[in-house]
Amino acid sequence: MSIGEATSEQTPDSTRMRWRRSGGAALVVRGLHRAVYPLLGVAVLLALWWYGGHLIASDPATESFAGFGPGPTFASLADLIRSGQLWGIAYPSLHRIGLGLLWATVLGVPIGVSIGYFRVAQETTHIPFQFLRMISPLAWMPIAVLAFASWDGAIVFLIIVAAIWPIIFSTAHGVKRIDPLWFRVARNLGAGGGQMLRRIILPAIGQDVFAGIRLAVGVAWIVLVPAEYLGVTSGLGYAINDARDTLAYNDLAAIVVVIGVLGYALDRICLFLIQHFSWRVEL
Amino acid sequence: MSGFLSLDRMGIVFETRNGPYRALQDVDLRIAQGEFVTVIGHSGCGKSTVLNIVAGLLRATEGGVLLENREVNSPGPERAVVFQNHSLLPWLTVYDNVRLAVDKVFRKTKSKIERDEWTRHNLRLVQMNNAADKRPSEISGGMKQRVGIARALAMEPKVLLMDEPFGALDALTRAHLQDALMTIHADLGNTVIMITHDVDEAVLLSDRIVMMTNGPAATVGKVLSVSLARPRKRLSLADDTEYNRCRADVMKFLYRQTETDDPRAA
């Protein structure tokens, strides 16, 4: 064989490759450049918070709520971390949300694949699912409390109800976007249904599933805190209620910060997983 | 001519929203082992439908396909298809795309080491061994088609089915891949059916050119034998009388099809 590479067959320049070629110093400069605006955003938020705290503390009518200011809040947060209490508060919440997301994924992905793959499944489930989806998960609370023996079980159920819809819809969307040609390639190889699922469908929709889980985390994290106001004696929601009852506003604000930070962290984990399972060029 | 692969009075009717549509009627063709046949015709004439029936991806309404006297009624790797484009799985590397096919076909008959060697051998055949670890998004269209060909060859098919494999490529890349395909065909002696709409490509590559009439109810209009000696060199062919006769023949057929298609001519 004596066929050389044609000159017109050059590898397209991908952004990633250009990045690799640029020097280390340039990379640092660009890194700093990219950090400027996010840091600015955080600074503005802190400034507004500080000013609000200052107003509350300087007015005699609201003086007793001064704990909400950033100073007392961060002092309290440092205490919570140093004493190890924080982990005891956050762990039950993380456990509940983890369990709820696990179940929502285990149930939601097969349902989503069926809806995306079988037209009949899509048409049958469309109205019931859109109807159920629009019901606030918290509206199920009385039923959940009656149906589950433990408060923990009821909260996990509410998280499942909140989290399952984005996972189902995103998975179904991913399946529908699969290039039909890939199914023909697999059929040409003589692949059956099981291999089609394992070799084509699941790798093709990986990023869509995690995009669905990312949306689900957002909703579930919002539902979790109010769900923990009821019944249970552990978790972030309980800690907020407890701090309010004991007038420990600095602790309350510290827990709010923790909720925000943990939510942000969960979102970043999901984003990492989406990128890890992504094969599309644009990501 | 022996009936290694035969298409017997094949016809297909599609159910559409506007009622049944007859795409093909009485498509009759005998292909010998090792023969290189191209099917040419205007777009929409059902060339690809013929190929899909032979591949087993579509089922003929009447008639059928016999490969070594056995009826074809399901897809299978002994009739490997090279698709037009985008047929590589984007989450797999070049190597893994070919390896997937090798694993599927030779899981029982070749050891793991043999399958690895066979995968690399086929990538070398299309000069893609140096890009084995790249993803499809990192290589050019011509390279993707090379890998598609390697994947099909790696299945050791009895018949290689090519659905306008070079249609989306620029002229220079296309010429390179045509040369590569001729070399591979000379070395391995595959039986090939290739769909094309490019007259020069058809004459350059084929032993026979099957010209299809326009749809609906498209069928084989004319079959032309190309008696040019192999190996063929594209530069010296430009002045060859036989080459130009074949080329003119196909052009005339296609042009006449356009005329009969024109409502003003009716």
Side-chain angles (χ1 to χ4, degrees):
Chain A
M1 297 271 285
S2 59
I3 309 108
E5 280 300 297
T7 44
S8 55
E9 282 189 59
Q10 268 165 6
T11 308
D13 250 19
S14 73
T15 331
R16 215 183 310 150
M17 295 179 105
R18 251 180 279 128
W19 266 94
R20 216 175 289 151
R21 244 180 273 133
S22 63
L27 211 83
V28 172
V29 170
R30 224 173 295 188
L32 284 173
H33 207 78
R34 284 207 304 196
V36 167
Y37 293 109
L39 287 176
L40 186 68
V42 173
V44 169
L45 185 65
L46 283 173
L48 286 172
W49 184 11
W50 173 84
Y51 186 64
H54 173 75
L55 286 181
I56 289 169
S58 55
D59 184 342
T62 55
E63 213 177 354
S64 52
F65 297 109
F68 281 119
T73 299
F74 285 115
S76 161
L77 185 60
D79 276 349
L80 285 172
I81 293 168
R82 229 179 292 128
S83 65
Q85 267 177 287
L86 184 66
W87 179 241
I89 294 169
Y91 175 76
S93 291
L94 290 172
H95 182 76
R96 285 171 194 133
I97 201 163
L99 210 57
L101 283 171
L102 182 71
W103 275 107
T105 308
V106 166
L107 296 170
V109 171
I111 295 173
V113 169
S114 314
I115 291 177
Y117 196 76
F118 301 108
R119 214 189 151 71
V120 179
Q122 191 208 338
E123 285 175 8
T124 313
T125 56
H126 181 74
I127 294 175
F129 278 12
Q130 293 296 334
F131 167 78
L132 289 170
R133 182 175 78 100
M134 297 314 274
I135 300 168
S136 163
L138 292 173
W140 295 101
M141 197 162 335
I143 298 167
V145 168
L146 289 174
F148 287 86
S150 69
W151 286 101
D152 260 322
I155 291 172
V156 171
F157 170 78
L158 292 180
I159 291 169
I160 296 171
V161 169
I164 198 165
W165 307 113
I167 296 176
I168 289 177
F169 294 126
S170 182
T171 303
H173 178 69
V175 173
K176 263 184 266 177
R177 272 203 308 183
I178 296 177
D179 192 330
L181 191 57
W182 300 339
F183 290 130
R184 287 169 64 201
V185 170
R187 282 176 63 205
N188 183 232
L189 282 166
Q195 283 164 317
M196 202 76 94
L197 185 69
R198 209 154 42 89
R199 297 286 185 192
I200 307 289
I201 298 177
L202 291 182
I205 63 170
Q207 66 191 16
D208 299 285
V209 170
F210 284 104
I213 292 175
R214 186 186 182 194
L215 289 172
V217 166
V219 186
W221 194 241
I222 289 167
V223 168
L224 176 73
V225 172
E228 281 177 342
Y229 282 177
L230 290 173
V232 290
T233 52
S234 62
L236 295 162
Y238 167 76
I240 286 188
N241 242 2
D242 189 49
R244 188 197 63 189
D245 292 344
T246 56
L247 309 180
Y249 297 121
N250 51 348
D251 286 350
L252 198 161
I255 301 290
V256 168
V257 170
V258 169
I259 289 171
V261 169
L262 285 179
Y264 181 78
L266 289 173
D267 187 68
R268 294 306 292 190
I269 292 170
C270 291
L271 194 61
F272 170 78
L273 287 170
I274 292 170
Q275 277 161 353
H276 182 75
F277 283 92
S278 160
W279 47 263
R280 287 191 186 104
V281 201
E282 69 263 21
L283 271 167
Chain B
M1 197 161 291
S2 78
F4 173 70
L5 174 68
S6 56
L7 285 60
D8 287 317
R9 300 187 69 78
M10 213 168 70
I12 194 165
V13 176
F14 292 113
E15 292 305 326
T16 70
R17 212 172 287 176
N18 307 319
Y21 174 81
R22 170 165 288 285
L24 295 174
Q25 185 151 31
D26 291 334
V27 175
D28 229 26
L29 200 60
R30 307 269 169 283
I31 293 167
Q33 191 159 14
E35 204 179 1
F36 198 122
V37 173
T38 51
V39 179
I40 197 165
H42 289 287
S43 26
C45 77
K47 304 184 292 271
S48 293
T49 310
V50 172
L51 197 89
N52 281 327
I53 296 173
V54 178
L57 295 168
L58 284 175
R59 289 207 70 170
T61 316
E62 310 102 19
V65 179
L66 289 174
L67 177 59
E68 292 183 314
N69 292 317
R70 237 178 281 160
E71 198 186 349
V72 167
N73 47 24
S74 64
E78 85 275 7
R79 285 159 282 119
V81 183
V82 179
F83 295 94
Q84 190 166 5
N85 45 25
H86 307 306
S87 77
L88 300 184
L89 302 177
W91 54 88
L92 296 180
T93 61
V94 162
Y95 174 89
D96 286 332
N97 263 287
V98 178
R99 181 64 188 264
L100 182 76
V102 171
D103 281 348
K104 177 72 186 134
V105 178
F106 298 108
R107 182 166 292 272
K108 292 198 181 87
T109 51
K110 282 190 204 287
S111 73
K112 222 171 175 179
I113 298 162
E114 285 172 323
R115 278 182 269 146
D116 171 68
E117 182 39 46
W118 180 241
T119 305
R120 295 190 185 282
H121 168 78
N122 280 283
L123 285 173
R124 276 196 296 275
L125 218 53
V126 295
Q127 310 259 314
M128 283 300 291
N129 42 320
N130 290 328
D133 296 325
K134 290 217 159 87
R135 295 285 173 104
S137 58
E138 294 173 317
I139 61 176
S140 69
M143 288 171 156
K144 281 181 212 166
Q145 274 324 69
R146 286 170 186 268
V147 179
I149 292 169
R151 179 171 63 187
L153 289 172
M155 292 149 83
E156 259 185 354
K158 289 175 180 159
V159 186
L160 190 60
L161 303 169
M162 308 183 85
D163 191 358
E164 298 194 30
F166 312 138
L169 304 177
D170 64 275
L172 191 59
T173 308
R174 179 192 292 220
H176 273 277
L177 286 187
Q178 287 165 347
D179 289 342
L181 182 59
M182 280 196 286
T183 316
I184 289 167
H185 181 242
D187 289 349
L188 306 179
N190 316 76
T191 309
V192 184
I193 303 181
M194 177 164 158
I195 307 292
T196 183
H197 53 236
D198 180 334
V199 178
D200 289 300
E201 181 170 88
V203 179
L204 177 70
L205 299 175
S206 312
D207 295 314
R208 281 191 299 156
I209 301 172
V210 175
M211 293 170 245
M212 295 207 33
T213 62
N214 285 355
T219 189
V220 176
K222 190 176 174 186
V223 180
L224 175 75
S225 287
V226 181
S227 49
L228 287 165
R230 289 181 192 272
R232 297 169 182 172
K233 295 265 173 278
R234 69 177 63 242
L235 281 179
S236 48
L237 281 177
D239 310 316
D240 190 294
T241 44
E242 169 70 1
Y243 178 84
N244 285 308
R245 183 189 68 81
C246 292
R247 206 173 167 279
D249 240 26
V250 179
M251 294 285 267
K252 270 181 221 153
F253 176 88
L254 291 176
Y255 189 68
R256 244 181 283 127
Q257 286 296 312
T258 349
E259 272 183 338
T260 50
D261 219 29
D262 194 338
R264 280 166 301 181

